[in-house]
């Protein structure tokens, strides 16, 4: 599928409903995966901030023998025996998430994705602090449970010098780092995504 470059953000919302893709976020992860080859068959994935489930739907429909460990404060709509969903605030469910994975005899996962985002306040300082906290949590999760050579994809926002600190941090953790603003991402939003590949565990960074 070729994603049309449409300036009207509502277009992707309508398309996601028409194609039963659950959310317009589906188009973002589709584009990211086509460009950067994030997912593979026979792998284990963590997805943070999964509701309503567009990213999960993309993964489960396109890859075989996948397990997805997912978390959101809202219940996801998609049900599948290979999706292990935890409802709750990730700051409180972090250890439970790791325990559930370990209880499936999985020590480390292949990929971590995070589209997690609070309700945007419009106050840059507040929004950036919250998003940086989510990013730091994802980076901690990498050190705790991501396989060497694993991947991380996470949401980020333009507009803070802290982003430079994050980039410096991830440069020490991953060999390949790419930045993408997906075609379907609202042109007026500061949102973009950072794709990190080839994880190298480095306890000193976090
Ligand atoms: C942009 S949406 C994710 C869309 C999703 N990737 C999809 O494909 O449908 C961001 C999600 O982050 C969740 N979220 C925000 N704060 C959270 C927290 N502290 N713990 C868990 N989830 C959180 C929100 O409930 C929201 O569903």
């Amino acid at each position: 599928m070729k994603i049309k470059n449409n300036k009207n953000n509502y277009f992707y919302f309508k398309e996601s409903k028409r194609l039963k893709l659950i959310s317009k976020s589906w188009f973002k992860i589709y584009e990211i995966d086509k460009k950067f080859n994030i997912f593979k068959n026979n792998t284990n994935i963590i997805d943070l901030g999964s509701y309503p489930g567009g990213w999960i739907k993309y993964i489960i429909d396109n890859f075989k023998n996948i397990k997805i460990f997912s978390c959101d404060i809202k219940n996801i709509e998609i049900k599948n025996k290979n999706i292990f969903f935890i409802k709750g605030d990730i700051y409180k469910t972090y250890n439970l998430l790791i325990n559930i994975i370990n209880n499936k005899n999985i020590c480390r996962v292949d990929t971590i994705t995070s589209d997690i985002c609070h309700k945007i306040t419009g106050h840059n300082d507040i929004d950036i602090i919250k998003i940086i906290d989510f990013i730091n949590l994802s980076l901690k999760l990498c050190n705790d449970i991501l396989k060497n050579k694993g991947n991380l994809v996470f949401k980020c926002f333009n507009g803070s010098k802290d982003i430079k600190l994050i980039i410096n941090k991830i440069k020490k953790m991953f060999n390949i780092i790419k930045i993408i603003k997906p075609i379907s991402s609202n042109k007026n939003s500061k949102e973009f995504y950072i794709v990190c590949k080839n994880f190298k565990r480095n306890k000193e960074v976090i």
Side-chain angles (χ1 to χ4, degrees):
M1 185 201 293
K2 192 165 179 349
I3 303 177
K4 285 185 201 159
N5 194 347
N6 195 307
K7 284 190 182 134
N8 178 358
N9 201 44
Y10 189 56
F11 168 82
Y12 298 103
F13 176 76
K14 279 193 304 188
E15 278 295 276
S16 69
K17 294 291 162 216
R18 187 177 70 81
L19 298 168
K20 299 191 169 47
L21 302 175
I22 300 185
S23 73
K24 79 180 187 88
S25 300
W26 186 98
F27 290 102
K28 297 180 193 169
I29 200 66
Y30 171 84
E31 184 183 346
I32 290 171
D33 187 43
K34 289 296 162 214
K35 283 203 171 123
F36 302 113
N37 268 315
I38 303 301
F39 307 107
K40 287 193 174 62
N41 297 331
N42 309 310
T43 56
N44 299 311
I45 295 157
I46 295 177
D47 184 54
L48 301 180
S50 309
Y51 173 87
W55 285 29
I56 288 180
K57 177 160 176 58
Y58 170 75
I59 300 166
I60 220 85
D61 285 350
N62 288 285
F63 299 90
K64 289 183 192 133
N65 195 21
I66 288 282
K67 283 192 180 59
I68 306 178
F69 298 91
S70 108
C71 163
D72 202 294
I73 44 183
K74 296 182 195 163
N75 254 327
I76 55 168
E77 296 166 14
I78 180 166
K79 299 272 181 275
N80 184 291
K81 67 177 172 39
N82 294 321
I83 299 170
F84 304 90
F85 176 71
I86 304 166
K87 183 173 186 282
D89 179 343
I90 186 59
Y91 292 107
K92 294 182 184 148
T93 57
Y94 185 94
N95 289 336
L96 178 63
L97 176 69
I98 300 228
N99 286 342
I100 288 176
I101 295 170
N102 291 158
N103 285 342
K104 301 259 170 247
N105 286 331
I106 298 166
C107 297
R108 300 200 188 282
V109 299
D110 302 270
T111 298
I112 298 175
T113 55
S114 173
D115 196 17
I116 200 164
C117 185
H118 61 288
K119 208 168 185 312
I120 298 297
T121 67
H123 298 287
N124 211 24
D125 291 350
I126 298 170
D127 290 334
I128 289 286
I129 287 170
K130 291 196 170 184
I131 203 84
I132 296 284
D133 283 348
F134 283 135
I135 295 169
N136 279 323
L137 181 137
S138 302
L139 298 183
K140 175 171 163 33
L141 195 56
C142 289
N143 260 352
D144 285 345
I145 203 159
L146 184 63
K147 275 184 191 168
N148 276 327
K149 301 198 174 164
N151 306 322
L152 167 70
V153 177
F154 64 89
K155 191 202 278 288
C156 203
F157 283 102
N158 259 323
S160 163
K161 59 182 187 316
D162 290 344
I163 301 297
K164 282 191 185 145
L165 297 176
I166 292 287
I167 302 262
N168 286 339
K169 218 177 199 183
I170 55 177
K171 276 185 181 164
K172 293 180 189 151
M173 298 173 69
F174 291 87
N175 285 326
I176 302 169
I177 291 154
K178 302 281 179 192
I179 290 177
I180 177 170
K181 169 90 177 168
I183 289 171
S184 57
S185 171
N186 190 339
K187 309 286 174 290
N188 298 324
S189 96
K190 295 183 172 178
E191 157 193 285
F192 66 97
Y193 291 83
I194 302 193
V195 176
C196 310
K197 293 187 76 174
N198 230 332
F199 177 60
K200 39 186 183 175
R201 183 156 278 96
N202 184 349
K203 285 281 179 207
E204 286 161 29
V205 177
I206 302 294

